[in-house]
Amino acid sequence: MIAQPITHLREHPRIYALIAAWVLAMVSLPIQRWIAGDDILPRGITLGVVLQVIAVLVIVGMAWGVRRTAIMTLTIMLIAWGVEFIGHTTGFPFGDYAYTDRLQPQIGGVPLLIP
């Protein structure tokens, strides 16, 4: 089944509000850091990622339906987590790296925000 193009976004102002909130959260990160210091960054980044995920899932859900969107989301998250777990554990294929403990929660040393 091929996804139907979404031609009626203008009829859904909430989508624009979600996208605007995501962009505002990300653009405001330097200002947040300037005002509150480095300790605010994990919360600000988390907020930005969560808003982005919500906006994308709403838009994709409109085109694919809830069931297909949920299946694809879970599949992609599991594959992405697996790749990141292998990558940070073995250094393959990205080279040696590690995640800081500042991004929580984590499973197997991979922050849940990553997948």
Side-chain angles (χ1 to χ4, degrees):
M1 179 180 172
I2 297 175
Q4 296 298 316
I6 301 172
T7 58
H8 54 280
L9 285 180
R10 288 182 298 271
E11 298 171 14
H12 300 282
R14 290 184 186 135
I15 292 172
Y16 291 110
L18 282 170
I19 293 169
W22 163 56
V23 170
L24 182 63
M26 296 309 291
V27 169
S28 70
L29 278 174
I31 299 167
Q32 293 175 40
R33 184 178 183 205
W34 177 62
I35 293 171
D38 288 341
D39 290 339
I40 196 76
L41 288 179
R43 284 177 278 182
I45 292 168
T46 300
L47 176 63
V49 171
V50 168
L51 288 170
Q52 180 185 21
V53 168
I54 291 169
V56 168
L57 290 178
V58 167
I59 293 168
V60 171
M62 289 173 62
W64 285 359
V66 174
R67 185 174 186 274
R68 184 174 179 201
T69 300
I71 291 169
M72 290 307 296
T73 300
L74 290 173
T75 302
I76 291 167
M77 287 177 65
L78 288 172
I79 291 169
W81 180 86
V83 169
E84 287 297 328
F85 179 77
I86 291 168
H88 99 86
T89 303
T90 67
F92 176 79
F94 312 115
D96 291 332
Y97 68 98
Y99 289 105
T100 177
D101 289 335
R102 293 181 71 181
L103 288 176
Q104 292 293 332
Q106 295 185 5
I107 297 177
V110 178
L112 290 181
L113 281 179
I114 300 304

